[in-house]
Amino acid sequence: MAQPDESRTKPKVVDIHTHMYPPEYISILSSRTEIPLVRTFPSPSSPDPDPRLILLEAELPALEKALQDPSAPIPGRPLTKHFTSLPQKMHFMSTHGIDISVLSLANPWLDFLPASEAGAIAERINASFEEMCSSSSSKEQKLYFFATLPLTSPTETILSCIAHLSSSGSLPHCRGVILGTSGLGSGLDDPALLPIFHALAAHNLPVFLHPHYGLPSAVYGPRAGEEYGHVLPLALGFPMETTIALVRMYLAGVFDAVPGLRMILAHSGGTLPFLAGRIESCVLHDERLVKEGKTAARRRSVWEVLRSQVYLDAVVYSEVGLKAAVDASGGGREGAERLMFGTDHPFFPPVGEEGDRDGEWESVRLNVEAVKRALGEQSEEAELVMGGNAMRVLRLFD
Amino acid sequence: MAQPDESRTKPKVVDIHTHMYPPEYISILSSRTEIPLVRTFPSPSSPDPDPRLILLEAELPALEKALQDPSAPIPGRPLTKHFTSLPQKMHFMSTHGIDISVLSLANPWLDFLPASEAGAIAERINASFEEMCSSSSSKEQKLYFFATLPLTSPTETILSCIAHLSSSGSLPHCRGVILGTSGLGSGLDDPALLPIFHALAAHNLPVFLHPHYGLPSAVYGPRAGEEYGHVLPLALGFPMETTIALVRMYLAGVFDAVPGLRMILAHSGGTLPFLAGRIESCVLHDERLVKEGKTAARRRSVWEVLRSQVYLDAVVYSEVGLKAAVDASGGGREGAERLMFGTDHPFFPPVGEEGDRDGEWESVRLNVEAVKRALGEQSEEAELVMGGNAMRVLRLFD
């Protein structure tokens, strides 16, 4: 009966975009010689002896350089405790006033595993997330998770994994699945994925769609890696990958075929809120689609799908972007009901000499401020985005 | 002295994004066997005997099929009079209440010409545009143009072309240049382009930046062309190409190096308004850029560049996108002063059996409505976007 009024008046803050690598996953990455991998670079000139996490195609040139030349800059990012330690996650939550986190395995998930291994590893990793959630949830801080699917396995293995996720009792903290854009290997518009989407819808498991592969490096030109760091692939490639994946699903009719499917799009939909009008116009003006009756077969516009089957996280780092995401989701209260706050922890930590990873993170502050500025400091809409929507949509009951 | 009050009270509508292919250019395309090209497909089953314009890498598979199999769908788009005829342009302007058009050669401009030919062809094409503008401008309708640069030629040829554009008398209707994203062959962040940007700034010639190359087809997956028409490359590839080009310029420090440079971005900046926050955050959080002091060397944020050296056209097909473009440009009156209406004519004509190319175009209506809904039907801000800004920025005086 302690402080019942305070707990009722203070609205909950929920982080739906927050990643972890459990020990099983780190040991897989550490045994690998191709990306994704974990590797320690014992360079005497290195100020940072941590093992490094190397995930992206864009990081490959730096990796190759570092392997040949110990004085070259260390590639990838430091594999700090923020990626692996549950106490560190709880500390991060306290520091930023987060009451509930919905954890997910970070990219690239199990996309690189052989078919024969993926099923068993997915089971172990999901069990590991369940264990984290059940062991660490307290009165003050609660954890849930989005599960991982063994997408390189045969469809029956994937379907049995989904059935296991939703069976009562075994994984009570699971609230959906995290998916990349590769699907079974040829994208999310692959008809072979429809049974999976049907099963996810039937079991009321929303899909948290997250990018990893970006765009081919050639599009960034010759100066990209060396001079611009990872800005282009992370700032532009990631959001475009998400947008392409979602629009391919839309054009393939997945949303009409599986009306119960719910998607939560990382990074506020990539670029979808801004481009929805152009997408809709390009469909209406495509000579071939119109002649072949393919636009008439569309039962709903991009806007209608955005406002019925799609949710957006609020990881867009600006008031401008946040407003567009709310507007594209229906605007006003209706639009605000479709956005959910996230941090993208442990990515985008403070860097440089003054960067204190144990303190407040600028990347989080940017996203909190975007919500407050776009919707009003203490508005009901801002409270919904900061936590209320996630509580409702993901059924995060006390 | 006819109706002086009416002409004074009715604000001008200016279309800054409207393309033409003059006869010289069509004859070049018609002589080619590789894209871009013009080709007539005399298939008996074809309902449309027009020559076809084939521009994009995404159109290649359909072209190859059609060359082998006369019953296959005709590739590309019909080369209607809308692409080539000045009376048709004037008719389009009347139909949509457009008082002034700032014409430009459509993509891919002269990007494919041998160095030895590009200079002379650019000169002829720019003279042809000047002739169109001076012969057709009347009291009711006026034409100006963005000139074309021979970017495959040696730098001296390009610089002499720029000097010619701005020399008083010879091309009095030129108001800037249209540029694609390839630059001299390796993008707009190429240091070898700096003398060109300096010359454009010195001669007060804004750059209208327009996409053409999109993204490599592989990113759209196996179903793209056959099943989704050109939606993915046009709706997503084009805007991302523009965004990447601009951010590469930003990261290379071009805006700081050439503070007089003015860019007008096609399609409301591609995705820049929505992604500006993420771009800024990715720069601030890039371990390597921060360590190497490269972020400290940036004199201004993406937002500051957007609000000082960048203008956006208003070709975004939605109220959501238009609002984001205004907000990213400074918001309110300040933001509205940086947007300029456009139609993208002759692209996106009405299609299908009911499509009447001589009537009102839905693609134009979508953009007019976006401005009116975002800024208010008869607001001063809407009038600025519909014409006032272009009059001021491009000096379109009567």
Side-chain angles (χ1 to χ4, degrees), chain A residues 47-48 52 62 73 76-78 186 189-191 214-216 218-223 225-232 234-240 243-244 247-248 251-252 267-275 277-279 281-292 294 303 307 315-318 320-325 327-328 344 348-352 357 362-363 366, chain B residues 47-48 52 62 73 76-78 186 189-191 214-216 218-223 225-232 234-240 243-244 247-248 251-252 267-275 277-279 281-292 294 303 307 315-318 320-325 327-328 344 348-352 357 362-363 366:
Chain A
D48 191 343
R52 306 287 288 191
R77 65 209 81 204
S186 56
D189 55 351
D190 181 353
L215 299 170
V219 304
Y220 305 123
R223 302 177 65 177
E226 198 69 35
E227 293 186 56
Y228 310 149
H230 298 142
V231 173
L232 293 166
L234 288 177
L236 308 184
F238 263 35
M240 184 42 49
T243 313
I244 292 171
V247 178
R248 282 171 63 178
L251 293 171
H267 315 121
S268 297
T271 65
L272 191 62
F274 191 71
L275 291 182
R278 183 169 173 90
I279 295 161
S281 176
C282 282
V283 172
L284 293 172
H285 291 95
D286 193 279
E287 193 188 4
R288 182 165 176 178
L289 291 187
V290 173
K291 269 194 183 154
E292 295 177 2
K294 285 181 181 163
W303 301 110
R307 291 158 194 190
V315 183
V316 69
Y317 306 93
S318 77
V320 176
L322 205 283
K323 271 188 184 165
D327 286 350
D344 217 348
F348 305 113
V351 288
R357 290 200 177 93
E362 172 80 353
S363 56
L366 284 167
Chain B
D48 192 344
R52 306 286 287 191
R77 63 209 82 202
S186 55
D189 54 353
D190 181 353
L215 298 170
V219 303
Y220 305 123
R223 301 177 66 178
E226 198 70 34
E227 294 185 54
Y228 311 148
H230 297 144
V231 173
L232 293 166
L234 288 177
L236 308 185
F238 265 34
M240 185 41 50
T243 314
I244 291 170
V247 178
R248 284 171 62 178
L251 293 171
H267 315 120
S268 297
T271 65
L272 190 61
F274 191 71
L275 292 183
R278 185 170 172 87
I279 295 160
S281 176
C282 282
V283 172
L284 293 173
H285 290 96
D286 193 280
E287 192 190 3
R288 182 164 176 178
L289 291 189
V290 172
K291 270 194 184 155
E292 294 177 4
K294 285 182 180 161
W303 300 109
R307 291 160 192 188
V315 183
V316 67
Y317 306 94
S318 77
V320 176
L322 205 286
K323 271 188 185 165
D327 286 348
D344 217 348
F348 306 113
V351 289
R357 290 201 177 90
E362 172 80 354
S363 56
L366 284 168

Side-chain angles (χ1 to χ4, degrees), chain B residues 160-217:
Chain B
S160 118
C161 178
I162 293 171
H164 183 66
L165 295 179
S166 63
S167 69
S168 63
S170 60
L171 299 166
H173 291 86
C174 173
R175 286 298 182 274
V177 300
I178 184 165
L179 274 197
T181 63
S182 62
L184 306 177
S186 55
L188 301 182
D189 54 353
D190 181 353
L193 266 172
L194 282 173
I196 317 261
F197 288 136
H198 277 295
L200 291 167
H203 292 299
N204 200 10
L205 292 165
V207 171
F208 179 34
L209 176 64
H210 194 287
H212 169 72
Y213 298 95
L215 298 170
S217 295

Side-chain angles (χ1 to χ4, degrees), chain B residues 116-140:
Chain B
S116 59
E117 295 175 20
I121 291 175
E123 207 173 300
R124 285 214 302 281
I125 285 179
N126 291 333
S128 187
F129 271 99
E130 177 60 41
E131 167 62 20
M132 287 192 257
C133 296
S134 53
S135 70
S136 300
S137 290
S138 66
K139 248 210 169 104
E140 290 73 38

